């Protein structure tokens, strides 16, 4: 086949390309330039650029080096404006509204895969391959493409792919879906790839130090939008008693315990962020638990929107163990999810994904009830 390969500059995408090349496919490599490092927003206290191991210029060079070593053409897609509009700005607005977003989901499906898929079709490619740990199968009985977790559940990345449409899944190809990480590194070593021992990035690519609120402050300052920065406000109990003050709601997230600055007999946690009142609401551990929530932007992958309640194992964040729940489809691509047992810190802005065993039933975005 002729396959468009996403090249991030990491070991996973490099190994995927090496594997496909060994299988005899015709490859075209693409790397996406997403974040403009020259804007000097990601800097330390001395004004020096913060190091990044994802989507940096070094990653572009590494990807090009792998493509040249394996002997296939390589192109760089400049998506900086799209990335800022579709990923960075929604990330900032989500934090400013009192949510805790996960931009990597939207970036993977709406920007990276969608952009590469369009480019692949223009070049008459049969498939779009990435280094994701996930699997796609075609079911002739239902005439539907099915998305599954990677065999290695700890590395599984189906969580980032639930927004893919049936049309996109028909062209998606995940060569690493059956593998574990060490097998992938062995492929890279066997192909003498420069990236074989490269470490993984653990943070959001445009916030390499993981300090999200500081990034938002720097970004708004850089864009002359300091008037949008949240002001100080009250920290209140679930009973409405004022317990202290906060320095801006974008510095807090549901489930947070540290940094509240409140002395209390029992530990207190952020249980809700109220943007309209500019309040951080705190409570004890049991007040973090809830049995249901609402999701928007729901995409049903395994089947069309069900007319009856559907049973599934549901995740409410990437490292959450899926828990049994009933999903009630609602109008306007929404759904109400009711767990069998209470779950901790269900957080607006995060993605939720529904599983039937290893199969992805669908997913959506958690919103405030």
């Amino acid at each position: 086949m002729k396959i468009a390969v996403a090249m991030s500059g990491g070991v996973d995408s490099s190994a995927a390309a090496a594997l496909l090349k060994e299988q005899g496919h015709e490859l075209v490599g693409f790397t996406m330039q997403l974040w403009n490092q020259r804007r000097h927003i990601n800097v330390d206290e001395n004004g020096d650029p913060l190091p990044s191991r994802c989507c940096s210029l070094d990653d572009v060079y590494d990807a090009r080096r792998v493509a040249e070593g394996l002997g296939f053409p390589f192109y760089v897609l400049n998506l900086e404006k799209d990335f800022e509009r579709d990923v960075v700005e929604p990330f900032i607005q989500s934090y400013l509204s009192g949510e805790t977003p996960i931009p990597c989901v939207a970036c993977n499906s709406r920007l990276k895969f969608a952009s590469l898929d369009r480019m692949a079709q223009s070049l008459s490619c049969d498939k779009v391959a990435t280094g994701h740990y996930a699997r796609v199968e075609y079911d002739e009985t239902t005439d539907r493409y099915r998305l599954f977790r990677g065999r290695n559940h700890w590395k599984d990345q189906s969580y980032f792919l639930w927004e893919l449409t049936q049309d996109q899944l028909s062209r998606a190809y995940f060569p690493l879906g059956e593998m574990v990480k060490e097998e992938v590194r062995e492929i890279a070593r066997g192909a003498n790839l420069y990236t074989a021992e490269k470490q993984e990035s653990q943070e959001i690519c445009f916030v390499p130090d993981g300090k999200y609120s500081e990034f938002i402050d720097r970004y708004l300052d850089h864009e002359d939008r300091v008037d949008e920065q949240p002001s100080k406000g009250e920290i209140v109990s679930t009973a409405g008693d004022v317990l202290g003050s906060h320095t801006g709601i974008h510095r807090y997230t549901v489930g947070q315990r540290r940094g509240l600055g409140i002395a209390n007999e029992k530990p207190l946690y952020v249980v809700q962020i109220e943007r309209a009142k500019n309040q951080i609401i705190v409570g004890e551990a049991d007040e973090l638990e809830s049995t249901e929530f609402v999701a928007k932007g729901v995409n049903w992958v395994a089947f069309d929107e069900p007319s009856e309640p559907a049973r599934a194992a549901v995740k409410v964040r990437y490292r959450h163990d899926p828990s049994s729940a009933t999903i009630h489809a609602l109008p306007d691509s929404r759904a109400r999810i009711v767990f069998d047992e209470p779950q901790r810190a269900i957080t607006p802005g995060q993605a939720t994904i529904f599983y039937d065993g290893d199969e992805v039933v669908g997913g959506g975005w958690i919103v405030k009830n």
Side-chain angles (χ1 to χ4, degrees):
M1 295 185 292
K2 184 177 182 181
I3 300 177
V5 185
M7 305 287 292
S8 68
V11 63
D12 292 334
S13 62
S14 300
L19 186 61
L20 294 172
K21 182 71 175 180
E22 183 181 348
Q23 293 170 351
H25 300 293
E26 177 188 354
L27 306 184
V28 184
F30 292 94
T31 287
M32 301 171 197
Q33 178 61 40
L34 301 178
W35 180 248
N36 186 350
Q37 306 288 346
R38 297 177 297 276
R39 296 179 65 189
H40 299 296
I41 294 176
N42 289 335
V43 295
D44 60 20
E45 61 275 8
N46 299 318
D48 296 323
L50 294 169
S52 175
R53 291 202 309 271
C54 177
C55 305
S56 68
L57 293 177
D58 287 341
D59 293 311
V60 174
Y61 299 145
D62 290 346
R64 183 184 299 279
R65 186 171 176 176
V66 169
E68 290 176 349
L70 293 174
F72 58 83
F74 172 83
Y75 302 93
V76 178
L77 303 179
N78 190 320
L79 300 176
E80 290 177 357
K81 291 183 178 179
D82 304 72
F83 181 72
E84 188 156 354
R85 180 192 65 231
D86 299 335
V87 179
V88 178
E89 187 64 32
F91 167 85
I92 291 171
Q93 292 304 320
S94 184
Y95 259 111
L96 296 182
S97 66
E99 298 177 337
T100 304
I102 178 165
C104 300
V105 175
C107 182
N108 273 272
S109 58
R110 299 180 191 177
L111 185 66
K112 289 182 178 180
F113 196 95
S115 299
L116 182 57
D117 188 39
R118 288 192 296 269
M119 182 62 67
Q121 289 184 73
S122 71
L123 296 175
S124 300
C125 292
D126 302 295
K127 292 288 184 179
V128 175
T130 74
H132 286 96
Y133 291 83
R135 295 171 290 145
V136 173
E137 296 178 8
Y138 176 65
D139 188 334
E140 292 185 356
T141 304
T142 60
D143 187 27
R144 199 172 188 94
Y145 288 88
R146 302 167 68 186
L147 177 63
F148 294 86
R149 302 172 76 178
R151 290 291 184 194
N152 180 3
H153 284 187
W154 181 250
K155 287 296 298 178
D156 166 56
Q157 293 171 311
S158 60
Y159 180 85
F160 301 101
L161 300 169
W162 59 264
E163 282 195 304
L164 295 184
T165 65
Q166 281 292 302
D167 184 53
Q168 290 172 327
L169 286 172
S170 72
R171 290 182 292 277
Y173 192 23
F174 306 123
L176 309 184
E178 302 284 347
M179 300 181 182
V180 298
K181 189 72 176 190
E182 189 54 35
E183 291 177 295
V184 172
R185 289 202 183 275
E186 283 301 318
I187 291 173
R189 292 179 188 125
N192 295 315
L193 299 184
Y194 173 74
T195 56
E197 308 303 330
K198 191 171 182 179
Q199 297 302 304
E200 296 180 86
S201 173
Q202 300 297 324
E203 296 293 345
I204 294 172
C205 65
F206 57 94
V207 193
D209 61 355
K211 299 177 180 178
Y212 308 135
S213 62
E214 293 181 17
F215 168 81
I216 292 171
D217 290 339
R218 292 195 303 267
Y219 183 89
L220 294 176
D221 181 62
H222 185 275
E223 298 295 300
D224 293 325
R225 292 163 53 186
V226 292
D227 58 313
E228 296 181 36
Q229 290 179 343
S231 58
K232 297 179 180 180
E234 298 174 335
I235 298 178
V236 302
S237 69
T238 51
D241 299 322
V242 177
L243 304 179
S245 61
H246 67 76
T247 57
I249 61 170
H250 63 311
R251 305 185 191 282
Y252 302 83
T253 185
V254 171
Q256 178 178 332
R257 175 185 173 185
R258 298 177 184 272
L260 299 180
I262 299 173
N264 196 64
E265 182 179 352
K266 294 183 178 180
L268 293 176
Y269 302 83
V270 175
V271 298
Q272 188 177 342
I273 300 174
E274 188 58 64
R275 174 55 178 152
K277 298 179 179 179
N278 193 28
Q279 290 180 336
I280 302 296
I281 302 171
V282 297
E284 296 179 7
D286 61 341
E287 295 179 274
L288 266 179
E289 296 186 343
S290 54
T291 57
E292 65 179 83
F293 67 96
V294 172
K296 68 177 182 179
V298 173
N299 180 44
W300 296 97
V301 181
F303 39 73
D304 292 332
E305 181 178 298
S307 56
E308 299 293 330
R311 292 287 294 172
V314 176
K315 271 189 175 189
V316 294
R317 53 189 163 271
Y318 181 46
R319 290 302 182 194
H320 177 237
D321 289 331
S323 297
S324 298
T326 301
I327 306 170
H328 305 263
L330 301 174
D332 302 320
S333 300
R334 295 166 72 91
R336 181 168 62 90
I337 294 87
V338 182
F339 285 106
D340 294 354
E341 301 291 338
Q343 302 297 308
R344 186 180 186 277
I346 300 175
T347 307
Q350 291 286 295
T352 178
I353 188 167
F354 323 140
Y355 291 102
D356 180 6
D358 275 356
E359 183 171 8
V360 175
V361 173
W365 297 97
I366 300 172
V367 297
K368 296 177 181 178
N369 290 333

